[in-house]
Amino acid sequence: MEVKQSSLAAIGTKFSQYPTDGRVEIAFAGKSNVGKSTLINAMLGRKALARTSSQPGKTRTINFYDVNQMMYVVDLPGYGYAKAPKTEIAKWGAMIEEYLEKREVLQAIILLIDIRHEPGKNDIMMYDWLKHYGYDIIIAATKSDKLNRSQIPKHLAVIRKTLGLEQGDVLIPFSGEKKTGVAELWAEIERFLP
C-alpha cells in the first residue's frame, strides 16, 4: 500500500477517547523496546511520527495513527517492562486488555518479537492470549539487521518453535535500518482493508 498521508489522530487510555468513525484498525503489540515506534515510522514512511526512545516503557497511551483517511495503525504500550510502579503496570495491562477484548473495528494484530532472542514468557502469553481471542496475528521479527543474513532462518525457526506457530501463521523479518519487511507487512495488512 502506498501511504500518501499519515498523522496522529487520537491518543487515549479509555474507550471514550478512541476514534468513533468505524475505520479498520491494525494494532501493534510487543515487549518494551522491541522497536514498535521504529516499525510504525517505517510503515508510515515517516521519520518521527511515532516517538522512539532508548528508554523502555515510553508509550503509556494507546496511539491511533490515521493512514490515508481509511484505516488506523494503533500503537499499544509495550508489555513486560518492570521499572514502573506496579499500579501503573496493572493500569496499562487493563487498558490494553480492554482495547483488545472490546474493540470491534480491530482486524489484526502485528506482534513484534526481537529476532535476536527466544520469545520470552510475556511474548508467549501475549501470543496465546491473542490466539484464544481468535485474532489474526502477523509476527514481525524486529532488528533483523543485527544478524548476518545466514543467521536469520535459524532465528525465525526458534521463534516459530517457541511460540508454537501454526502452518498459516505469518512471520516476517523486519529491519528499521534497511526497511526490509515493510512491503510484506503491508501486503498482509491489505487483506483486512475494505
Side-chain angles (χ1 to χ4, degrees):
M1 181 164 104
E2 189 187 347
V3 177
K4 294 192 168 101
Q5 171 274 325
S6 59
S7 61
L8 180 61
I11 295 173
T13 56
K14 52 183 186 263
F15 256 66
S16 60
Q17 299 167 321
Y18 304 159
T20 56
D21 52 21
R23 289 184 197 158
V24 165
E25 292 174 6
I26 306 291
F28 288 70
K31 214 184 300 199
S32 295
N33 244 23
V34 74
K36 266 194 315 317
S37 299
T38 300
L39 183 125
I40 289 170
N41 286 330
M43 300 274 308
L44 301 183
R46 300 280 294 269
K47 279 220 175 3
L49 184 58
R51 292 259 164 78
T52 58
S53 170
S54 57
Q55 258 187 308
K58 276 294 177 204
T59 305
R60 295 176 177 207
T61 53
I62 296 180
N63 301 333
F64 296 80
Y65 297 97
D66 172 32
V67 181
N68 294 347
Q69 297 184 329
M70 67 175 291
M71 68 166 288
Y72 291 107
V73 160
V74 183
D75 186 6
L76 300 174
Y79 54 79
Y81 177 60
K83 280 199 179 130
K86 280 195 172 26
T87 53
E88 195 69 10
I89 293 168
K91 248 193 281 180
W92 299 340
M95 173 178 68
I96 293 168
E97 197 167 323
E98 182 190 43
Y99 171 79
L100 293 172
E101 274 181 18
K102 297 181 179 171
R103 197 70 177 156
E104 289 176 8
V105 288
L106 178 60
Q107 295 298 307
I109 315 279
I110 313 271
L111 180 60
L112 284 73
I113 306 281
D114 187 329
I115 196 169
R116 301 168 301 172
H117 310 291
E118 188 175 322
K121 206 169 51 188
N122 289 327
D123 296 317
I124 296 165
M125 213 162 56
M126 180 59 108
Y127 175 79
D128 290 344
W129 192 88
L130 293 170
K131 270 290 187 213
H132 171 76
Y133 280 97
Y135 279 109
D136 280 289
I137 307 165
I138 300 154
I139 296 170
T142 61
K143 308 188 184 197
S144 66
D145 52 275
K146 309 272 192 247
L147 298 175
N148 296 330
R149 285 239 313 272
S150 62
Q151 294 173 296
I152 290 174
K154 188 181 96 183
H155 285 259
L156 292 176
V158 168
I159 292 172
R160 205 168 265 292
K161 184 173 183 238
T162 307
L163 292 179
L165 298 190
E166 293 159 12
Q167 198 57 45
D169 289 340
V170 179
L171 176 59
I172 297 170
F174 167 77
S175 161
E177 208 161 281
K178 297 178 179 167
K179 305 287 183 272
T180 54
V182 172
E184 292 87 343
L185 284 166
W186 272 121
E188 290 300 323
I189 290 170
E190 281 172 354
R191 296 184 299 132
F192 301 100
L193 300 179

